[in-house]
Amino acid sequence: MSQWKQIQQLEIRLLEHVDYLYDDNFPMDIRQGLSGWIEAQDWDIAANDESVAGVLFTNLLSQLDRVRSQEQNFLQRHNMKIIQQQLKVKYTTNPAVMARVISTCLREELRILSSACMQEQGPLERSLQNSVAFERQKNMDNRVGIIRGSVQLMDQAVKSIEDMQDDFDFRYKTLQSRESTDARQNSDMMKQEVTTLQAMLNSLDFKRKEILSKMDVVIKEIEDLMSSQLNPELQDWKRRQQIAAIGGPLLTGLDLLQSWFTLIAQSLFQMKRQLDKLAELIVKVTYESDPIPLQKPQMEERIKFLIYHLIKSSFVVEKQPCMPTHPQKPLIVKTGVQFTTKVRLLVKLPEVDYQLKVKTIFDKDLPPGRVSRQFFILTNNTKVMDIEDYSNGCLSVEFRHLQLKEKKYINGTKGNEGLLSVTEELHSLSFEACFTVQGLTIDLETCSLPLVVISNVSQLPGGWASVMWYNLLTDEPRNLTFFGNPPRATWSQLSEVLSWQFSTFAGQGLNKEQLTMLGEKLLGQHASCSDYQVSWSKLSKENIPGKPFSFWMWLDSILELIKKHLLPVWNEKYIMGFVSKEMERILLKDRQPGTFLLRFSESHLGGITFTWVEHNDNGDVKFNSVEPYTKNRLSALPFADIIRDYKVISEGVVPENPLKFLYPDIPKDEAFGRLYNIQPSKVYPYITSTLIPISQLRSHASTTPPSSQSPEPPMTPGEFDMLNENLCFDIDTMSSPYSE
């Protein structure tokens, strides 16, 4: 079943999250009409390769043409034509952006499907998707709307005061001119006019006090809104960005934040202009106890203060530093390898000078001796912000070709060699700009989340463990000494993040049983306690008892194996995965002969094995476990084909496949049939040949190879010798030491 068909079968609660994914950047009409074609493309590669993205974009437009030509409904054809035109405007010059959008949507669909299969969401995901957040947003929309309405009304009030003052000024000057010519003749008329002018001045004074009072109320409302809701919403978005970086739910809401920031900024600048207008009015008409010169300076300072802090906080890192070669592992940078990052200004004003230059600085203000390695940006580190035509017109800049180089050290000696490993040293990338608008100059600065810098790809797993641990346990944006004394995580927190790794990299998260198995391997008897504290060292630094590797190195190697060689089998949920050898025996012992299950090796990094059960004539149960298949063997033969063609050779027995039923009782071909490789071999005029995985079963009583009198396998001796050399490995029985 296609991914899109699975999505359509979800309950309404989850479909609402799916609906949130699709907007004008990638309409759901396209997802529906081209579901099969979209899922067949590699959007991850296209997102980081402009040429591939360009080809896919052209093909997508062609696919839309085809679907539109076949559509019978006139309205649907019209809508698809409009969508096609919008896509051309947005993505013709930057198709990689489209690829990133589609890749993100597909990945989030998988995460939603994965969460639907779990009995309950983890605590982090529940906290990010609760209904309270939606209520907060509605309340925020309402308050911002009221502020905008109030400011617009004050514009009308200022205009009314200006008209009233012009009328007063005209009559007052007229009265002055009359006083010099006919003061005696029209004394009664003059008194009446003075009375009228006094009434007008009183009314003008009232209106001035009223408008200033209203301004004070709106300023207080904005102050409260910024402190109680806007800043917390921004911090909440930054926290969700951290969680999304380590595989959590899709990050959304930045456009909504930009809308709030922009509307509040527009209101503040509009009030600043209103105060400037009131200042112009007192040049013509002022009087004793005039409220404008008394209140305007303080009020203007309050508005400037709010504008200053609003714009400074609106400068954010929209896309954290990430190497295009590892798009799902941000915040890790390898020296000499290009990485990308993007910053954005959430305030959108027409008055902004669009020659806004942004400069990047690596490890700014880093105390000397805090890290053993120092780096500098090798490539151009300054770019100009521009308006994004394909989005909502926000002001942003993307650095696509940044590259780090390690500084050379005098006499070849590095700095302070601390206790931290390379992957525990944290660094930061800062961004600076100078913002000028309406006579205000504001220095902008923001920084990335802490980065791990590696010099060898073998350091990538350790670096990713550091990134996960940091962003799971703290919301501090720049705590570079975090690993000097790293906090502990509860098992419920850690297990949720570990499941995210599988949903992100393998398309299918871990269920409750699999997480329990992992917990038992990491924590032993404490696995049943969700609040049990797990140390950083326990996860990634201490070796598993009796093994030469840590828990994280073992788990990361499994993720790599699934991603590169086992993805179809994993996504069909055929791999039990983390079951121990002891539990494996319990599960298989009462099953019919030939029942097997798939699990990951406990003694090999990145290995998968299968174990099957046999029953002797005397009723004894035997468990046979094949030596783990690693990436080297799986690169030569797909795992489903290995299960189909697997043979056992034993003395006096014709080679046969002992694998009959996938646990608990699914016929092997029923489970794996559609995953078999049935592509015909193009070797004409040669006779086609097939690689067959073989294990040789030696009896416990004899360690010598089978005698020559044993039945010859159905292949030539040369073929047998070749397979025996390259693919043969022993099988242990229950009476021999049980191993993988």
Side-chain angles (χ1 to χ4, degrees):
M1 186 185 298
S2 71
Q3 182 173 312
W4 186 244
K5 286 184 178 178
Q6 294 179 61
I7 286 289
Q8 292 173 307
Q9 294 177 5
L10 294 174
E11 57 182 287
I12 294 178
R13 173 182 64 85
L14 293 171
L15 284 175
E16 289 177 352
H17 294 305
V18 176
D19 180 62
Y20 198 65
L21 299 175
Y22 296 96
D23 52 22
D24 290 342
N25 291 322
F26 183 35
M28 193 178 290
D29 304 62
I30 299 178
R31 183 68 180 96
Q32 171 75 25
L34 303 180
S35 59
W37 181 84
I38 286 172
E39 291 173 27
Q41 314 308 311
D42 195 332
W43 298 102
D44 287 340
I45 291 178
N48 297 288
D49 190 321
E50 288 284 352
S51 60
V52 175
V55 171
L56 280 183
F57 179 59
T58 302
N59 291 343
L60 184 141
L61 295 178
S62 300
Q63 292 289 329
L64 280 176
D65 279 332
R66 177 184 60 79
V67 172
R68 185 160 57 89
S69 65
Q70 297 172 354
E71 178 60 55
Q72 300 298 317
N73 186 292
F74 172 77
L75 182 59
Q76 282 289 88
R77 285 203 310 273
H78 173 75
N79 290 341
M80 293 189 75
K81 182 180 179 181
I82 298 299
I83 290 173
Q84 200 168 5
Q85 292 172 346
Q86 291 174 341
L87 291 179
K88 288 179 180 178
V89 171
K90 287 184 177 182
Y91 301 127
T92 297
T93 58
N94 202 349
V97 173
M98 179 203 70
R100 282 197 290 272
V101 170
I102 297 177
S103 173
T104 301
C105 288
L106 293 178
R107 189 165 62 250
E108 182 62 11
E109 283 181 7
L110 281 174
R111 192 201 59 76
I112 293 172
L113 286 172
S114 178
S115 67
C117 297
M118 298 183 67
Q119 295 183 2
E120 59 179 19
Q121 291 177 313
L124 276 172
E125 193 156 351
R126 281 198 303 272
S127 69
L128 298 174
Q129 296 184 352
N130 57 54
S131 58
V132 176
F134 294 107
E135 290 301 320
R136 287 202 320 264
Q137 291 172 2
K138 288 181 182 178
N139 180 259
M140 187 76 179
D141 282 335
N142 184 52
R143 292 183 70 180
V144 171
I146 291 173
I147 288 172
R148 285 300 294 153
S150 299
V151 173
Q152 298 290 355
L153 289 175
M154 287 192 297
D155 250 3
Q156 299 175 20
V158 171
K159 183 68 171 65
S160 174
I161 290 173
E162 183 180 15
D163 292 341
M164 183 184 296
Q165 179 170 305
D166 286 344
D167 189 21
F168 172 85
D169 186 52
F170 174 77
R171 298 185 69 161
Y172 179 73
K173 289 180 178 178
T174 301
L175 179 62
Q176 282 183 319
S177 63
R178 287 179 180 176
E179 282 181 344
S180 59
T181 56
D182 46 309
R184 294 180 180 178
Q185 298 177 4
N186 301 297
S187 59
D188 293 339
M189 186 181 297
M190 294 285 287
K191 288 180 182 179
Q192 185 177 355
E193 187 66 18
V194 168
T195 303
T196 301
L197 285 172
Q198 184 62 52
M200 291 180 68
L201 186 60
N202 292 341
S203 179
L204 184 63
D205 180 64
F206 175 80
K207 289 294 183 181
R208 287 184 174 185
K209 290 177 179 177
E210 183 182 50
I211 189 68
L212 290 170
S213 176
K214 288 180 178 179
M215 281 187 177
D216 181 65
V217 170
V218 173
I219 291 172
K220 287 179 179 177
E221 173 66 11
I222 292 176
E223 287 172 339
D224 181 69
L225 183 68
M226 287 175 60
S227 62
S228 67
Q229 283 193 264
L230 185 63
N231 290 337
E233 286 291 342
L234 179 61
Q235 296 308 312
D236 181 66
W237 178 85
K238 289 181 178 180
R239 179 58 182 155
R240 285 186 285 116
Q241 185 184 48
Q242 286 185 270
I243 297 302
I246 57 176
L250 176 71
L251 180 64
T252 56
L254 196 58
D255 288 343
L256 188 58
L257 270 173
Q258 177 170 301
S259 172
W260 294 334
F261 268 88
T262 298
L263 290 172
I264 294 172
Q266 288 173 345
S267 298
L268 288 169
F269 278 113
Q270 194 168 349
M271 291 174 68
K272 182 176 177 296
R273 289 192 294 270
Q274 290 167 357
L275 282 176
D276 291 340
K277 187 64 179 177
L278 291 177
E280 293 176 8
L281 295 181
I282 64 174
V283 174
K284 293 182 178 179
V285 177
T286 188
Y287 46 89
E288 188 177 350
S289 72
D290 187 346
I292 294 178
L294 293 175
Q295 298 182 38
K296 176 185 173 293
Q298 182 184 12
M299 201 168 286
E300 191 171 40
E301 286 302 311
R302 290 168 63 192
I303 289 176
K304 287 181 179 180
F305 178 83
L306 291 173
I307 291 174
Y308 176 82
H309 285 279
L310 182 74
I311 292 178
K312 277 189 77 73
S313 61
S314 75
F315 192 49
V316 298
V317 181
E318 179 179 356
K319 180 182 177 183
Q320 294 292 335
C322 180
M323 294 185 293
T325 51
H326 295 83
Q328 293 165 335
K329 289 186 176 179
L331 302 171
I332 300 178
V333 176
K334 183 177 179 292
T335 53
V337 175
Q338 289 185 355
F339 65 95
T340 66
T341 186
K342 181 179 179 181
V343 291
R344 178 168 168 178
L345 194 68
L346 298 180
V347 172
K348 186 173 65 173
L349 297 170
E351 304 95 332
V352 173
D353 176 12
Y354 293 116
Q355 292 301 309
L356 188 60
K357 292 184 178 180
V358 178
K359 181 181 180 182
T360 60
I361 306 171
F362 196 77
D363 277 347
K364 181 184 178 184
D365 301 329
L366 189 69
R370 204 208 51 84
V371 295
S372 61
R373 303 171 303 152
Q374 296 182 25
F375 305 90
F376 63 93
I377 298 174
L378 187 63
T379 47
N380 180 28
N381 67 336
T382 303
K383 287 189 72 174
V384 176
M385 298 189 90
D386 203 356
I387 298 176
E388 289 185 353
D389 295 330
Y390 55 84
S391 67
N392 60 0
C394 69
L395 199 61
S396 66
V397 60
E398 184 169 13
F399 293 87
R400 297 186 182 179
H401 306 289
L402 294 176
Q403 195 173 132
L404 291 182
K405 186 173 182 178
E406 188 169 358
K407 291 182 180 179
K408 294 182 179 180
Y409 305 97
I410 301 174
N411 300 324
T413 304
K414 292 189 177 184
N416 180 36
E417 296 284 354
L419 297 175
L420 300 181
S421 67
V422 166
T423 55
E424 291 174 322
E425 279 189 2
L426 299 180
H427 305 264
S428 71
L429 185 66
S430 301
F431 304 87
E432 295 181 348
C434 186
F435 181 92
T436 302
V437 61
Q438 294 191 18
L440 296 176
T441 299
I442 304 170
D443 291 325
L444 303 177
E445 182 175 353
T446 189
C447 67
S448 71
L449 290 167
L451 303 172
V452 173
V453 181
I454 61 176
S455 55
N456 191 294
V457 72
S458 64
Q459 298 166 334
L460 190 63
W464 184 239
S466 296
V467 170
M468 286 193 306
W469 200 261
Y470 182 95
N471 291 288
L472 167 64
L473 296 177
T474 182
D475 58 3
E476 294 181 76
R478 199 170 181 262
N479 182 2
L480 303 185
T481 61
F482 177 83
F483 285 103
N485 184 25
R488 292 171 176 259
T490 64
W491 171 240
S492 62
Q493 289 176 311
L494 180 58
S495 62
E496 185 176 9
V497 175
L498 295 181
S499 180
W500 289 344
Q501 305 316 299
F502 282 83
S503 60
T504 298
F505 295 99
Q508 184 69 47
L510 302 179
N511 58 36
K512 189 174 182 180
E513 290 74 22
Q514 290 169 323
L515 288 172
T516 299
M517 295 174 196
L518 275 182
E520 290 172 351
K521 184 169 183 66
L522 179 64
L523 308 175
Q525 62 181 354
H526 302 291
S528 59
C529 179
S530 62
D531 293 330
Y532 185 78
Q533 300 285 313
V534 185
S535 70
W536 163 244
S537 180
K538 183 77 172 175
L539 175 76
S540 68
K541 302 182 78 172
E542 299 174 9
N543 285 346
I544 297 173
K547 304 294 188 297
F549 45 78
S550 68
F551 176 85
W552 172 248
M553 290 300 292
W554 172 74
L555 195 64
D556 183 76
S557 67
I558 289 172
L559 279 165
E560 283 296 307
L561 191 72
I562 293 174
K563 182 179 178 181
K564 294 179 179 178
H565 302 289
L566 302 174
L567 207 52
V569 182
W570 173 260
N571 283 328
E572 291 291 344
K573 303 178 185 177
Y574 291 156
I575 301 176
M576 186 168 290
F578 308 105
V579 61
S580 66
K581 289 177 287 188
E582 291 74 17
M583 179 57 68
E584 182 180 64
R585 291 184 179 189
I586 295 172
L587 294 174
L588 290 175
K589 68 178 183 179
D590 295 326
R591 295 293 166 179
Q592 55 186 316
T595 300
F596 66 99
L597 58 77
L598 310 177
R599 67 178 177 87
F600 298 114
S601 169
E602 293 183 303
S603 59
H604 289 66
L605 284 178
I608 186 169
T609 183
F610 45 80
T611 301
W612 72 92
V613 64
E614 292 181 353
H615 299 273
N616 287 345
D617 294 338
N618 59 8
D620 291 340
V621 178
K622 294 181 180 179
F623 301 97
N624 301 314
S625 185
V626 72
E627 182 182 346
Y629 286 87
T630 59
K631 62 182 180 181
N632 294 332
R633 287 194 174 103
L634 294 173
S635 297
L637 206 57
F639 192 53
D641 289 3
I642 289 174
I643 293 173
R644 177 190 63 189
D645 300 329
Y646 181 73
K647 296 287 190 298
V648 168
I649 299 175
S650 60
E651 188 173 351
V653 180
V654 175
E656 63 173 4
N657 191 332
L659 309 178
K660 307 299 182 185
F661 304 97
L662 177 67
Y663 180 88
D665 55 7
I666 308 172
K668 176 190 64 179
D669 291 338
E670 180 182 321
F672 296 95
R674 64 191 192 88
L675 302 179
Y676 294 155
N677 183 8
I678 56 174
Q679 294 295 325
S681 180
K682 300 178 181 179
V683 294
Y684 180 83
Y686 301 105
I687 299 173
T688 58
S689 61
T690 303
L691 286 175
I692 300 176
I694 295 177
S695 291
Q696 185 171 3
L697 183 62
R698 297 186 177 97
S699 66
H700 183 65
S702 172
T703 58
T704 59
S707 67
S708 59
Q709 282 76 31
S710 63
E712 185 175 281
M715 59 185 75
T716 67
E719 289 174 330
F720 177 76
D721 290 341
M722 182 273 290
L723 291 172
N724 190 47
E725 179 182 353
N726 293 285
L727 296 174
C728 179
F729 26 92
D730 295 338
I731 293 188
D732 296 321
T733 65
M734 188 175 181
S735 59
S736 64
Y738 189 90
S739 69
E740 295 179 321

